[in-house]
Amino acid sequence: DIYHAPVTVWGREVNLFFLGLAKQIETAYDDGQLKDKSLRPYVKVLFELLNRTNEAVLGSGLKYNELWSYKIDEGKLLPARYYNTSDMQLWNLTDIAVQFRLSQLPEKPE
């Protein structure tokens, strides 16, 4: 059905993705330092994925919607409100916990 189609973005799943990236980043560190210098490129990619995804969510302007979709307009992929979505729902509040978890991450390696 279209409500669960691959053209929808669900805020809850985005938050789960963020938590998964956070866990992978954190496992590469011990006391704020990379466990192994060879992990540096891997961790940099994880941070880049985290930042790019967060920028896309913020750029959509639909962060707190239950779900959203995208449309193609003049050759550009643009975020679009899903036609029968509700705005704030209780599970959206998990974003507060996710943002706290992300704020606890170590610094991105140079």
Side-chain angles (χ1 to χ4, degrees):
D1 75 75
I2 204 162
Y3 187 70
H4 294 101
V7 295
T8 57
V9 179
W10 292 80
R12 182 178 68 96
E13 276 72 17
V14 172
N15 277 332
L16 291 173
F17 180 68
F18 285 151
L19 290 175
L21 288 173
K23 183 173 182 169
Q24 290 300 308
I25 290 168
E26 287 173 340
T27 60
Y29 285 83
D30 189 22
D31 290 329
Q33 301 294 320
L34 280 173
K35 290 179 182 178
D36 185 327
K37 300 291 184 198
S38 69
L39 293 171
R40 185 180 312 269
Y42 172 68
V43 172
K44 283 177 133 180
V45 168
L46 293 176
F47 270 106
E48 180 63 24
L49 288 170
L50 184 69
N51 291 332
R52 289 181 64 194
T53 305
N54 195 42
E55 287 172 9
V57 170
L58 294 174
S60 75
L62 302 167
K63 178 179 181 173
Y64 295 111
N65 286 66
E66 175 187 15
L67 71 158
W68 62 94
S69 190
Y70 288 85
K71 64 181 178 179
I72 298 175
D73 187 18
E74 296 183 14
K76 294 181 182 176
L77 188 65
L78 303 171
R81 183 180 172 99
Y82 190 78
Y83 72 93
N84 70 346
T85 187
S86 59
D87 290 326
M88 189 66 127
Q89 290 195 2
L90 185 58
W91 59 260
N92 292 92
L93 296 176
T94 61
D95 185 64
I96 295 168
V98 170
Q99 293 306 313
F100 175 76
R101 175 82 186 271
L102 296 180
S103 75
Q104 303 300 305
L105 288 175
E107 297 264 335
K108 179 181 176 182
E110 296 299 320

